Amino acid sequence: MSSYDSIFLYHARKAGGSTMRRWLRRVANKHNLTLKVQEGYPLQESDFHNKSRTLYITTLRDPVERAISSYYFEGQWLEAGKNRTKESAIGFKTWTEIVNIKPRGRLLWHCASDCYCKWFGSSGEGGVWNRNVTNAMERLKHFDMVLQTERLKEKNYTANLQILLSTKEIPIGHSNAKRAAWNAYEVTESDLAFLEEINQNDRVLYAAVFGLTT
Protein backbone atom coordinates (compact mmCIF):
# COMPACT_ATOMS: atom_id res chain seq x y z
CA MET A 1 0.00 0.00 0.00
CA SER A 2 3.02 2.28 0.25
CA SER A 3 2.84 2.98 -3.49
CA TYR A 4 -0.49 4.81 -3.05
CA ASP A 5 -1.43 8.23 -1.73
CA SER A 6 -5.18 7.73 -1.88
CA ILE A 7 -8.09 5.32 -2.42
CA PHE A 8 -10.94 6.14 -4.78
CA LEU A 9 -14.23 4.32 -4.18
CA TYR A 10 -17.01 4.60 -6.71
CA HIS A 11 -20.07 3.85 -4.57
CA ALA A 12 -22.56 2.12 -6.86
CA ARG A 13 -25.75 2.45 -4.86
CA LYS A 14 -27.20 -0.73 -3.27
CA ALA A 15 -24.24 -2.80 -4.43
CA GLY A 16 -22.28 -3.06 -1.21
CA GLY A 17 -20.99 0.50 -1.38
CA SER A 18 -21.78 1.37 2.23
CA THR A 19 -19.95 -1.74 3.43
CA MET A 20 -16.92 -0.80 1.36
CA ARG A 21 -17.05 2.83 2.41
CA ARG A 22 -16.91 1.95 6.10
CA TRP A 23 -14.18 -0.63 5.64
CA LEU A 24 -12.03 1.48 3.31
CA ARG A 25 -12.22 4.41 5.72
CA ARG A 26 -10.47 2.22 8.29
CA VAL A 27 -8.04 0.91 5.66
CA ALA A 28 -7.15 4.46 4.64
CA ASN A 29 -6.64 5.50 8.26
CA LYS A 30 -4.31 2.58 8.88
CA HIS A 31 -2.14 3.35 5.85
CA ASN A 32 -2.40 7.15 6.19
CA LEU A 33 -4.15 7.50 2.85
CA THR A 34 -6.86 9.85 1.61
CA LEU A 35 -10.22 8.24 0.81
CA LYS A 36 -12.34 9.82 -1.92
CA VAL A 37 -15.88 8.51 -2.45
CA GLN A 38 -18.05 9.31 -5.45
CA GLU A 39 -21.74 8.38 -5.41
CA GLY A 40 -24.61 9.22 -7.73
CA TYR A 41 -22.54 11.27 -10.17
CA PRO A 42 -21.27 9.77 -13.45
CA LEU A 43 -17.70 8.59 -13.64
CA GLN A 44 -15.53 10.61 -16.03
CA GLU A 45 -12.14 10.01 -17.62
CA SER A 46 -10.86 12.99 -15.63
CA ASP A 47 -11.51 11.05 -12.41
CA PHE A 48 -8.46 8.95 -13.28
CA HIS A 49 -5.99 11.85 -13.43
CA ASN A 50 -3.79 10.45 -10.63
CA LYS A 51 -4.04 6.77 -11.52
CA SER A 52 -0.46 5.82 -10.66
CA ARG A 53 -0.85 6.91 -7.02
CA THR A 54 -4.53 6.07 -6.46
CA LEU A 55 -6.10 2.68 -5.74
CA TYR A 56 -9.42 2.54 -7.62
CA ILE A 57 -12.14 0.28 -6.21
CA THR A 58 -15.82 -0.30 -6.92
CA THR A 59 -18.43 -3.01 -6.40
CA LEU A 60 -21.02 -4.46 -8.76
CA ARG A 61 -24.06 -6.51 -7.81
CA ASP A 62 -26.42 -8.47 -10.04
CA PRO A 63 -28.42 -5.61 -11.66
CA VAL A 64 -31.83 -7.15 -10.99
CA GLU A 65 -30.99 -7.85 -7.35
CA ARG A 66 -29.57 -4.35 -6.99
CA ALA A 67 -32.81 -2.77 -8.22
CA ILE A 68 -34.94 -4.92 -5.91
CA SER A 69 -32.73 -3.99 -2.97
CA SER A 70 -33.06 -0.31 -3.83
CA TYR A 71 -36.84 -0.60 -3.89
CA TYR A 72 -37.02 -2.35 -0.53
CA PHE A 73 -34.42 -0.04 1.00
CA GLU A 74 -35.94 3.32 0.10
CA GLY A 75 -38.68 2.99 -2.52
CA GLN A 76 -41.74 1.43 -0.91
CA TRP A 77 -42.98 4.70 0.57
CA LEU A 78 -42.72 8.25 -0.75
CA GLU A 79 -41.86 9.76 2.63
CA ALA A 80 -39.43 8.04 4.97
CA GLY A 81 -40.89 7.08 8.30
CA LYS A 82 -44.40 8.41 7.58
CA ASN A 83 -47.60 6.39 7.26
CA ARG A 84 -45.84 3.13 6.47
CA THR A 85 -48.72 0.80 5.85
CA LYS A 86 -49.41 -1.80 3.22
CA GLU A 87 -52.11 0.45 1.78
CA SER A 88 -49.79 3.44 1.43
CA ALA A 89 -46.91 1.49 -0.15
CA ILE A 90 -45.91 2.17 -3.75
CA GLY A 91 -46.06 -0.80 -6.10
CA PHE A 92 -42.82 -1.92 -7.70
CA LYS A 93 -43.59 -0.84 -11.27
CA THR A 94 -44.90 2.52 -10.06
CA TRP A 95 -41.60 3.03 -8.26
CA THR A 96 -39.59 2.22 -11.40
CA GLU A 97 -41.63 4.79 -13.34
CA ILE A 98 -40.94 7.43 -10.68
CA VAL A 99 -37.18 6.83 -10.49
CA ASN A 100 -36.77 6.56 -14.25
CA ILE A 101 -38.06 10.09 -14.80
CA LYS A 102 -35.29 12.18 -16.37
CA PRO A 103 -33.05 13.37 -13.48
CA ARG A 104 -32.20 17.00 -12.97
CA GLY A 105 -28.60 17.58 -13.98
CA ARG A 106 -25.76 15.17 -13.30
CA LEU A 107 -26.97 13.49 -10.09
CA LEU A 108 -28.61 10.09 -10.51
CA TRP A 109 -29.45 8.97 -6.97
CA HIS A 110 -32.44 6.67 -7.46
CA CYS A 111 -32.24 4.30 -10.39
CA ALA A 112 -33.89 1.08 -11.58
CA SER A 113 -32.75 0.56 -15.18
CA ASP A 114 -29.22 0.05 -16.56
CA CYS A 115 -27.78 2.04 -13.67
CA TYR A 116 -24.19 0.81 -14.08
CA CYS A 117 -24.14 1.82 -17.74
CA LYS A 118 -25.43 5.24 -16.74
CA TRP A 119 -23.05 5.77 -13.79
CA PHE A 120 -19.96 4.37 -15.50
CA GLY A 121 -20.74 4.99 -19.18
CA SER A 122 -22.53 8.34 -19.43
CA SER A 123 -21.62 11.97 -18.84
CA GLY A 124 -24.97 12.94 -17.33
CA GLU A 125 -24.62 16.33 -19.00
CA GLY A 126 -27.94 18.13 -19.33
CA GLY A 127 -29.68 15.33 -17.51
CA VAL A 128 -29.01 12.94 -20.41
CA TRP A 129 -28.02 9.52 -19.13
CA ASN A 130 -27.01 7.28 -22.01
CA ARG A 131 -26.81 3.53 -21.45
CA ASN A 132 -23.40 3.04 -23.00
CA VAL A 133 -22.06 -0.46 -22.33
CA THR A 134 -18.81 0.15 -24.23
CA ASN A 135 -17.96 3.33 -22.32
CA ALA A 136 -18.85 1.71 -19.02
CA MET A 137 -16.61 -1.28 -19.74
CA GLU A 138 -13.69 0.93 -20.74
CA ARG A 139 -13.96 3.02 -17.58
CA LEU A 140 -14.24 -0.06 -15.40
CA LYS A 141 -10.93 -1.25 -16.88
CA HIS A 142 -9.27 1.67 -15.09
CA PHE A 143 -10.19 0.20 -11.71
CA ASP A 144 -7.67 -1.85 -9.77
CA MET A 145 -10.48 -3.79 -8.12
CA VAL A 146 -14.04 -4.41 -9.31
CA LEU A 147 -15.54 -6.50 -6.52
CA GLN A 148 -18.52 -8.80 -6.92
CA THR A 149 -20.93 -7.83 -4.14
CA GLU A 150 -22.42 -11.30 -3.79
CA ARG A 151 -19.00 -12.73 -2.97
CA LEU A 152 -18.41 -10.36 -0.05
CA LYS A 153 -20.28 -12.95 2.01
CA GLU A 154 -17.61 -15.54 1.22
CA LYS A 155 -14.94 -15.89 3.89
CA ASN A 156 -12.11 -16.73 1.48
CA TYR A 157 -13.03 -13.87 -0.85
CA THR A 158 -12.93 -11.24 1.91
CA ALA A 159 -9.84 -12.80 3.49
CA ASN A 160 -7.95 -12.44 0.21
CA LEU A 161 -9.12 -8.85 -0.07
CA GLN A 162 -7.83 -8.11 3.42
CA ILE A 163 -4.47 -9.64 2.53
CA LEU A 164 -4.21 -7.60 -0.67
CA LEU A 165 -4.78 -4.37 1.25
CA SER A 166 -2.62 -5.43 4.23
CA THR A 167 -5.54 -5.21 6.65
CA LYS A 168 -6.05 -8.72 7.99
CA GLU A 169 -7.01 -7.28 11.39
CA ILE A 170 -9.82 -5.07 9.97
CA PRO A 171 -12.98 -7.13 9.28
CA ILE A 172 -15.30 -6.38 6.38
CA GLY A 173 -18.81 -6.06 7.78
CA HIS A 174 -22.22 -5.64 6.19
CA SER A 175 -24.47 -2.59 6.19
CA ASN A 176 -28.26 -2.76 6.43
CA ALA A 177 -28.61 0.20 8.77
CA LYS A 178 -31.69 1.76 7.17
CA ARG A 179 -33.33 -1.31 5.75
CA ALA A 180 -37.12 -1.38 6.06
CA ALA A 181 -38.26 -3.51 8.98
CA TRP A 182 -40.84 -5.21 6.77
CA ASN A 183 -41.87 -5.28 3.13
CA ALA A 184 -45.37 -4.16 2.18
CA TYR A 185 -45.08 -5.43 -1.38
CA GLU A 186 -43.63 -8.68 -2.66
CA VAL A 187 -41.85 -8.55 -6.01
CA THR A 188 -43.54 -10.91 -8.47
CA GLU A 189 -42.27 -13.07 -11.33
CA SER A 190 -43.71 -10.46 -13.68
CA ASP A 191 -41.69 -7.77 -11.91
CA LEU A 192 -38.53 -9.85 -12.29
CA ALA A 193 -39.14 -10.30 -16.02
CA PHE A 194 -39.72 -6.55 -16.34
CA LEU A 195 -36.47 -5.83 -14.48
CA GLU A 196 -34.51 -8.15 -16.71
CA GLU A 197 -35.89 -6.33 -19.73
CA ILE A 198 -35.03 -2.82 -18.55
CA ASN A 199 -31.57 -3.91 -17.32
CA GLN A 200 -30.40 -5.73 -20.44
CA ASN A 201 -27.33 -3.55 -20.88
CA ASP A 202 -26.33 -3.81 -17.24
CA ARG A 203 -26.74 -7.59 -17.34
CA VAL A 204 -24.38 -7.75 -20.32
CA LEU A 205 -21.88 -5.51 -18.50
CA TYR A 206 -22.07 -7.46 -15.23
CA ALA A 207 -21.60 -10.78 -17.01
CA ALA A 208 -18.65 -9.48 -19.02
CA VAL A 209 -16.85 -8.07 -15.97
CA PHE A 210 -17.10 -11.31 -13.99
CA GLY A 211 -16.96 -13.79 -16.87
CA LEU A 212 -20.52 -15.01 -16.44
CA THR A 213 -23.16 -16.11 -18.93
CA THR A 214 -26.44 -14.24 -19.28
Side-chain angles (χ1 to χ4, degrees), residues 56-73:
Y56 286 86
I57 300 175
T58 192
T59 56
L60 297 181
R61 181 181 188 176
D62 177 87
V64 171
E65 292 298 323
R66 193 215 67 81
I68 292 171
S69 177
S70 183
Y71 169 68
Y72 282 142
F73 183 74

Side-chain angles (χ1 to χ4, degrees), residues 3 17 67 91 130 164 172:
S3 60
N130 299 316
L164 285 171
I172 303 173

